[in-house]
């Protein structure tokens, strides 16, 4: 919270930061720390975050260019493409709004989320083929197209890596550069598919959390039972693929035993775990947690029974 000054010796060396995090990393780090209307609170960790973002973009490029294309394959990813079309256009609409109000930091945050979460974490996971298997031509072409458009949108913030990848992506004429490419603009989008996808991603996240909490390998297939209305019409195939589910069934009653439960938007979901977890180990973990919480409760009760503490506490 102190002002930077040479006399205090707390001004970072810009060239030193660039040597460590790259020019694009430093640019994005500065923008992350400068929301409109607030003091600019610089933190070197934001430059590190910018460098990690550059690495994420580069790794996405390597993944896409590493795919083998089979022209004979039929496109199985029509739904994923429709969803990302709509998601991309909502992000571009937000971007135009931020630019019109000179909220440059907010514009970068919107692009960061679109690239890291929506494109890398969701879209590429939806469409990528199984290990050592080819991808169809339609999906590959659309993915290259999305990546190009992302480079155009990111270029004002990260000019160096985007220009480099623009020319790595395909052979282009000498003057075909991203710096003179037309900036992408938004188009109409389907809100219903965005709502359905958002619900589906919440379900996938909860299933993955269940695996982590119970120590179940992502490679081990599970079943899912649903009680209640989901309003999911077309995303079940994607949920099954990204969660490694063998079966999704709809029930009116909760399973009697042997299943873990989670709730997403008032809908109940159950994952049968019989034979998949060590129940004795689970019991020991829960008993340790209960013992800890009881000890914590005793310490809080002691404080609250102390009249001097209660009177002086905010």
């Amino acid at each position: 919270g102190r002002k930077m000054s040479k006399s205090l010796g707390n001004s970072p060396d810009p060239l030193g930061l660039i040597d460590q995090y790259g020019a694009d990393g430093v640019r994005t780090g500065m923008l992350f720390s400068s929301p409109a209307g607030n003091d600019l609170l610089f933190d070197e960790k934001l430059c590190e975050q910018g460098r990690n973002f550059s690495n994420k973009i580069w790794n996405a490029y390597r993944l896409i260019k590493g795919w083998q294309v089979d022209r004979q394959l039929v496109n199985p990813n029509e739904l994923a493409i429709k969803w990302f079309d709509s998601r991309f256009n909502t992000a571009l609409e937000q971007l135009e709004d931020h630019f019109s109000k000179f909220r440059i930091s907010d514009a970068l945050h919107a692009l960061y989320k679109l690239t890291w979460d929506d494109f890398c974490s969701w879209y590429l996971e939806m469409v990528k083929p199984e290990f050592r298997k080819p991808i169809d031509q339609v999906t590959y072409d659309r993915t290259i197209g999305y990546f190009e458009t992302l480079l155009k949108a990111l270029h004002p913030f990260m000019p160096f890596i985007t220009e480099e990848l623009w020319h790595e992506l395909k052979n282009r004429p000498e003057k075909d550069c991203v710096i003179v490419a037309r900036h992408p603009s938004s188009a109409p989008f389907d809100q219903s598919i965005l709502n359905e996808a958002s619900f589906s991603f919440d379900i996938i996240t909860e299933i993955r959390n269940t695996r982590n909490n119970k120590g179940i390998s992502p490679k081990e297939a599970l079943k899912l039972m649903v009680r209640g209305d989901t309003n999911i019409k077309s995303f079940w195939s994607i949920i099954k693929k990204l969660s490694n589910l063998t079966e999704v069934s709809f029930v009116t009653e909760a399973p009697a035993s042997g299943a873990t439960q989670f709730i997403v938007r008032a809908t109940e979901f159950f994952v049968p775990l019989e034979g998949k977890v060590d129940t004795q180990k689970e019991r020991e973990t829960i008993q340790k947690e209960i013992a800890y919480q009881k000890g914590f409760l005793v310490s809080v009760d002691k404080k609250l029974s102390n009249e001097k503490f209660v009177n002086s506490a905010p």
Side-chain angles (χ1 to χ4, degrees), residues 122 198-214 216 222 224 239 242-243 245 260-265 267-271 273:
W122 289 118
S198 176
F199 195 173
S200 302
F201 296 160
D202 287 345
I203 295 168
I204 293 165
T205 300
E206 287 294 338
I207 295 170
R208 289 175 175 175
N209 289 341
T210 298
R211 287 183 183 276
N212 290 337
N213 294 337
K214 304 297 182 184
I216 301 171
L222 298 173
L224 182 69
I239 292 172
L242 297 188
S243 305
L245 301 176
T260 186
Q261 176 201 28
F262 61 86
I263 297 174
V264 179
R265 304 184 195 182
T267 301
E268 292 179 283
F269 298 86
F270 305 92
V271 180
L273 295 177

Side-chain angles (χ1 to χ4, degrees), residues 61-191:
Y61 158 77
R62 290 177 60 200
L63 173 68
I64 296 166
K65 291 299 284 184
W67 290 339
Q68 297 296 316
V69 180
D70 185 343
R71 295 176 182 273
Q72 306 302 317
L73 289 178
V74 177
N75 173 21
N77 298 306
E78 190 175 334
L79 181 61
I81 290 169
K82 282 183 179 177
W83 166 73
F84 194 70
D85 261 339
S86 290
R87 179 66 193 94
F88 211 151
N89 283 307
T90 56
L92 290 174
E93 192 175 86
Q94 292 170 356
L95 200 63
E96 289 163 11
D97 181 56
H98 289 318
F99 280 143
S100 71
K101 295 169 183 172
F102 301 98
R103 296 193 300 237
I104 309 303
S105 179
D106 292 339
L108 175 59
H109 275 284
L111 275 176
Y112 179 89
K113 185 178 185 306
L114 174 71
T115 306
W116 193 296
D117 294 341
D118 299 310
F119 184 69
C120 295
S121 297
W122 289 118
Y123 174 77
L124 290 182
E125 288 298 312
M126 286 186 210
V127 303
K128 78 177 182 183
E130 291 180 41
F131 184 59
R132 290 186 175 173
K133 289 192 176 180
I135 195 167
D136 65 281
Q137 187 71 54
V138 173
T139 301
Y140 182 77
D141 290 343
R142 292 302 292 269
T143 304
I144 290 289
Y146 290 142
F147 194 73
E148 278 191 339
T149 312
L150 274 174
L151 293 179
K152 292 179 193 175
L154 285 164
H155 183 71
F157 306 96
M158 310 176 77
F160 300 102
I161 189 173
T162 51
E163 193 70 77
E164 178 77 14
L165 290 177
W166 180 262
H167 293 282
E168 289 279 345
L169 207 54
K170 61 174 72 168
N171 292 324
R172 304 177 189 274
E174 185 182 348
K175 294 187 177 181
D176 180 4
C177 298
V178 71
I179 194 171
V180 292
R182 182 177 291 276
H183 195 274
S185 55
S186 63
F189 54 85
D190 182 353
Q191 186 61 48

